[in-house]
Amino acid sequence: MNPLPLQAAIVDLDGTLIDTVGDFDAALNTTLSELRLPPVDRAFITRTVGKGSEHLIRSTLAQVGADAALYERAWAAYQRHYLAINGQHATVYPGVRDGLQRLQAAGLPLVCLTNKPGAFARPLLAATGLDGFFRQVFGGDAFARKKPDPLPLLEACRALGTPPAATLMLGDSSNDAQAARAAGCPVVLVNYGYNHGRPVEEAAPDAVIDSLAALRWPGLPGGPAATLE
């Protein structure tokens, strides 16, 4: 494999930069309590997050045996509760700041691309002090389709002004890998995030790393592409 020198990077949010299961747990279960529905556990949440809040709410209602017609009420309540607690139960993963600093030091512009609504994503990045790393933040409502569709990555590349083949996707799930492959971007996945209960190796990324600080790629500080296959 002879990867192109990188010109930019696109970085996922939940499960890649920040462990947000605690926020999801608090907002979802407060919503369910308000609707007088039973709670869901963190194992379900971890398996289910990553495809956007709409999918999360519909899946949660199905999980607790609720009428799908409750979706609009549940969505409105979830938005209210999530915004109230956003970032209070979240933790930046080890190595994230070092990894982002290395990418910045290499002169790479960074975009955060997430399926999380932009109104949730931007305050979370600000609350954790990560917002300054990113030129732009695109939420799941920024484009007509979400990952794993390639459209968000192609639009992010357009915003960056870089070709997909020289724009690295950093994520934690098959959604990121599928979108990157379809868009023509190289992709590296972390092994600690939320991949619907499946090993990230099954998504066949270019590399799997246990920390953003462990990323190696031609032209990045730290040496050659030691983690690439």
Side-chain angles (χ1 to χ4, degrees):
M1 176 181 178
N2 295 302
L4 291 179
L6 294 183
Q7 296 180 26
I10 299 169
V11 191
D12 178 54
L13 178 53
D14 297 295
T16 302
L17 297 175
I18 304 172
D19 183 357
T20 47
V21 168
D23 282 353
F24 287 120
D25 188 349
L28 268 180
N29 282 312
T30 303
T31 296
L32 292 171
S33 177
E34 179 177 316
L35 298 175
R36 299 188 179 183
L37 294 170
V40 290
D41 61 25
R42 288 199 177 198
F44 165 79
I45 295 170
T46 302
R47 292 194 308 271
T48 309
V49 295
K51 295 185 177 180
S53 296
E54 298 89 348
H55 174 268
L56 178 62
I57 297 300
R58 294 188 193 281
S59 298
T60 298
L61 291 175
Q63 175 73 8
V64 300
D67 189 334
L70 281 174
Y71 172 78
E72 295 298 336
R73 284 180 59 198
W75 171 238
Y78 175 74
Q79 284 187 300
R80 186 172 69 255
H81 293 307
Y82 199 104
L83 287 170
I85 58 89
N86 193 3
Q88 292 181 18
H89 309 279
T91 306
V92 177
Y93 287 110
V96 162
R97 296 183 198 280
D98 287 346
L100 294 176
Q101 286 167 357
R102 288 180 61 239
L103 292 167
Q104 269 196 340
L108 301 184
L110 307 179
V111 159
C112 183
L113 176 64
T114 173
N115 281 346
K116 186 189 225 60
F120 296 174
R122 285 183 284 273
L124 176 61
L125 288 168
T128 53
L130 298 180
D131 54 330
F133 287 106
F134 298 102
R135 176 177 293 184
Q136 289 177 274
V137 178
F138 295 118
D141 48 358
F143 308 113
R145 297 184 295 279
K146 299 179 176 66
K147 297 176 292 181
D149 192 281
L151 176 67
L153 272 74
L154 292 172
E155 291 296 336
C157 289
R158 191 189 314 275
L160 286 161
T162 57
T167 307
L168 178 65
M169 176 73 224
L170 283 165
D172 71 313
S173 75
S174 59
N175 286 335
D176 300 307
Q178 289 173 33
R181 291 298 184 218
C185 297
V187 56
V188 171
L189 299 181
V190 298
N191 62 8
Y192 52 72
Y194 319 136
N195 188 40
H196 322 298
R198 305 299 304 173
V200 292
E201 289 80 4
E202 292 181 0
D206 293 305
V208 175
I209 54 178
D210 59 12
S211 163
L212 286 195
L215 176 66
R216 299 292 182 268
W217 201 276
L220 285 184
T227 62
L228 301 183
E229 298 178 357

